Amino acid sequence: SPLAALTVSGRQFERDSYTNITDGIIKRMSRKLHQQKGHPLYLIKERIKSYFYKKYVGRTGNPVFSVYDNQDPIVTTYQNFDSLLVPQNHVSRLKSDSYYLNSQYMLRAHTTAHQTDLISSGLDNFLIIGDVYRRDTVDSTHYPVFHQCDAVRLQTQHELFPEEWGLSVFEKRPDRRTEDKQAEHTVDAVRILSFQLKSTLQDLAKVLFGSDVEYRWVEAYFPFTHPSWELEIKHNGEWLELLGCGIMEHTIVKKAGAGDRIGWAFGLGLERVAMRVYDIPDIRLFWSTDSAFLKQFEVDDPFTPIKYEPVSVYPRCINDISFWIPPEGDFSQNDFFDVVRSVGGDMIEEVSLVDQFVHPQKKLTSHCYRITYRHMERTLTKTEVNEIHEEIGRRATEMLGVTVRN
Ligand code: PHE
């Protein structure tokens, strides 16, 4: 019954108007692909860890970064948004973009959600790796669950600048915030930190993709860093956004109890990296339990070169569905995508809006979606696809109040 409490990972949550998590998503939470030895996402995680362990070492050669890859994906909206200064009315908070257990709890939309807590616990250098959840379109490069690696590095005045240089990290009195820096920081500190951040990430890109990788830096905006950048790499002739990064907002660092430090941070998508490193053509393959897929990645050394060999390619089947969307109410495309996904599961390759119009007399809006069905492991029959297609129509009618036209 819809009023019964929701149980996720053995914890109970009261439902409210925000609740939109689906059973399919809850099932994905237990997979922990990044912790599965021999999984491509695990191997990419190990490559990144190994790079950081070697790059930043302490007095005795010990790694200074510690790794957190087992944080609970259920977080509060405070952790995911407020602790990172995401404004109250920011679009990313919409119900249509994230999975909510209720108005207080959600599945993290980025691993940055744990940043403040880990700093508060006393850490200065750490990586956070985990599964993240976003309601999104369905296609070969988008899936509602994917994986990220975040990093934070905090440094003191004394660690950055030798005494005799006479340089300081912080302005004596807060200065003006400009395009290039926050009010608290000096130009010198931001210059040295952004150099450290960018060269660390350029070298990481070379370690992951080979030293001839083409990359470029693009200015970006995040509520939790300033200035901010994105690193793009060339892949099949196209620029692909790989990661976001920047100088951490001092307000966040200070509130977490590390006000004597300046920090840089970044967040990077593991699927993006793995798809390019291993030539994996479809993001849904990461969820495959087929041994023909998994056994290609059974190696002890994460740096073993591997190129994915397609197991087999099965034909796709395309079916359109058109409906009137309810005249009042808040129909969102992502609600429909969720219906499609929860009925069709991994048989859905892609859903796209191909046509929409408003009926001049009835003043009703019609949407036509094209659904591409294809299974990664077998050929789908026409009857099987038709049954699912009809069930999607019935479920959309029942749950979203649409009126199917064909
Ligand atoms: N959390 C950001 C994202 O998901 C990435 C990011 C992390 C950017 C840390 C800056 C600093 O896109």
Side-chain angles (χ1 to χ4, degrees):
S1 100
L3 289 173
L6 180 69
T7 308
V8 186
S9 311
R11 284 167 69 191
Q12 297 231 324
F13 297 88
E14 229 167 275
R15 289 176 198 265
D16 63 24
S17 64
Y18 263 77
T19 312
N20 65 0
I21 188 170
T22 64
D23 287 340
I25 292 296
I26 295 175
K27 280 204 200 88
R28 296 278 181 271
M29 290 173 67
S30 54
R31 291 285 298 277
K32 304 262 168 245
L33 300 180
H34 61 291
Q35 292 176 10
Q36 195 180 311
K37 206 172 171 296
H39 192 277
L41 297 174
Y42 171 90
L43 296 176
I44 296 299
K45 173 183 84 170
E46 291 302 310
R47 286 192 187 199
I48 297 170
K49 278 165 64 177
S50 143
Y51 169 76
F52 274 92
Y53 283 168
K54 281 192 205 133
K55 170 109 188 166
Y56 293 103
V57 293
R59 237 180 340 99
T60 57
N62 56 304
V64 302
F65 273 80
S66 44
V67 176
Y68 292 81
D69 68 353
N70 203 17
Q71 299 290 108
D72 191 344
I74 301 174
V75 298
T76 59
T77 54
Y78 183 87
Q79 287 174 295
N80 198 82
F81 300 120
D82 305 68
S83 77
L84 295 166
L85 312 178
V86 176
Q88 209 45 250
N89 58 355
H90 196 270
V91 287
S92 65
R93 293 191 189 239
L94 290 177
K95 237 182 100 172
S96 58
D97 282 33
S98 295
Y99 288 101
Y100 286 89
L101 294 117
N102 56 36
S103 56
Q104 247 191 80
Y105 289 95
M106 64 186 294
L107 300 184
R108 63 185 165 215
H110 52 184
T111 38
T112 320
H114 304 290
Q115 182 179 92
T116 304
D117 291 340
L118 291 172
I119 298 171
S120 301
S121 76
L123 296 165
D124 290 328
N125 300 278
F126 56 88
L127 302 177
I128 316 163
I129 295 141
D131 36 337
V132 300
Y133 298 78
R134 290 185 199 173
R135 300 179 75 193
D136 206 342
T137 48
V138 190
D139 63 32
S140 65
T141 57
H142 293 89
Y143 200 78
V145 190
F146 59 102
H147 296 75
Q148 285 188 326
C149 173
D150 260 61
V152 164
R153 175 160 169 78
L154 294 171
Q155 288 163 280
T156 60
Q157 157 81 31
H158 155 86
E159 285 164 333
L160 274 175
F161 298 130
E163 195 99 52
E164 62 275 17
W165 291 7
L167 298 175
S168 48
V169 166
F170 296 106
E171 296 286 352
K172 300 229 164 39
R173 260 176 296 118
D175 196 14
R176 232 160 24 90
R177 185 181 175 97
T178 67
E179 224 174 90
D180 299 320
K181 68 171 204 73
Q182 298 167 40
E184 295 84 349
H185 298 146
T186 63
V187 175
D188 295 320
V190 172
R191 199 167 283 159
I192 194 160
L193 236 76
S194 49
F195 173 78
Q196 203 185 82
L197 171 62
K198 285 182 173 176
S199 54
T200 299
L201 291 170
Q202 282 165 206
D203 290 347
L204 175 63
K206 288 180 188 161
V207 164
L208 293 171
F209 304 116
S211 52
D212 52 354
V213 65
E214 274 187 81
Y215 59 79
R216 69 177 186 195
W217 287 100
V218 181
E219 304 238 333
Y221 166 80
F222 300 103
F224 31 93
T225 51
H226 182 76
S228 308
W229 303 274
E230 276 166 2
L231 178 60
E232 298 186 338
I233 56 160
K234 198 66 150 302
H235 181 47
N236 293 339
E238 276 183 68
W239 288 107
L240 185 74
E241 179 201 321
L242 186 68
L243 60 85
C245 68
I247 309 299
M248 296 171 68
E249 282 290 348
H250 191 62
T251 321
I252 299 177
V253 176
K254 195 167 160 189
K255 196 154 179 221
D260 60 335
R261 278 148 218 263
I262 181 170
W264 55 247
F266 74 80
L268 146 157
L270 295 188
E271 275 82 352
R272 285 267 164 102
V273 175
M275 287 174 87
R276 192 179 188 280
V277 167
Y278 301 124
D279 282 345
I280 296 175
D282 192 303
I283 197 165
R284 294 171 308 155
L285 278 162
F286 292 109
W287 298 89
S288 172
T289 51
D290 186 347
S291 61
F293 173 78
L294 292 172
K295 75 166 186 269
Q296 297 186 35
F297 301 95
E298 271 169 21
V299 290
D300 286 325
D301 177 1
F303 287 95
T304 311
I306 299 170
K307 288 294 172 202
Y308 167 70
E309 306 273 359
V311 182
S312 55
V313 176
Y314 296 96
R316 60 177 93 190
C317 186
I318 294 171
N319 252 335
D320 289 352
I321 180 169
S322 314
F323 47 72
W324 302 112
I325 68 172
E328 315 91 41
D330 48 358
F331 175 84
S332 98
Q333 288 199 43
N334 280 339
D335 288 329
F336 180 64
F337 295 149
D338 271 339
V339 166
V340 176
R341 225 181 271 124
S342 63
V343 178
D346 284 346
M347 290 183 200
I348 309 300
E349 179 169 274
E350 194 170 340
V351 188
S352 57
L353 182 63
V354 286
D355 186 39
Q356 63 176 318
F357 69 90
V358 181
H359 190 284
Q361 277 92 47
K362 294 188 196 158
K363 297 272 182 296
L364 283 173
T365 304
S366 167
H367 280 189
C368 176
Y369 291 89
R370 176 152 301 160
I371 307 181
T372 308
Y373 297 87
R374 172 148 65 175
H375 203 282
M376 291 311 297
E377 282 141 22
R378 62 190 174 84
T379 301
L380 297 173
T381 66
K382 257 247 138 52
T383 340
E384 183 178 21
V385 168
N386 286 343
E387 269 168 26
I388 290 171
H389 198 69
E390 277 164 30
E391 179 62 16
I392 288 172
R394 280 193 293 273
R395 284 275 273 278
T397 306
E398 194 182 294
M399 299 181 58
L400 310 176
V402 307
T403 311
V404 178
R405 308 176 44 224
N406 54 347

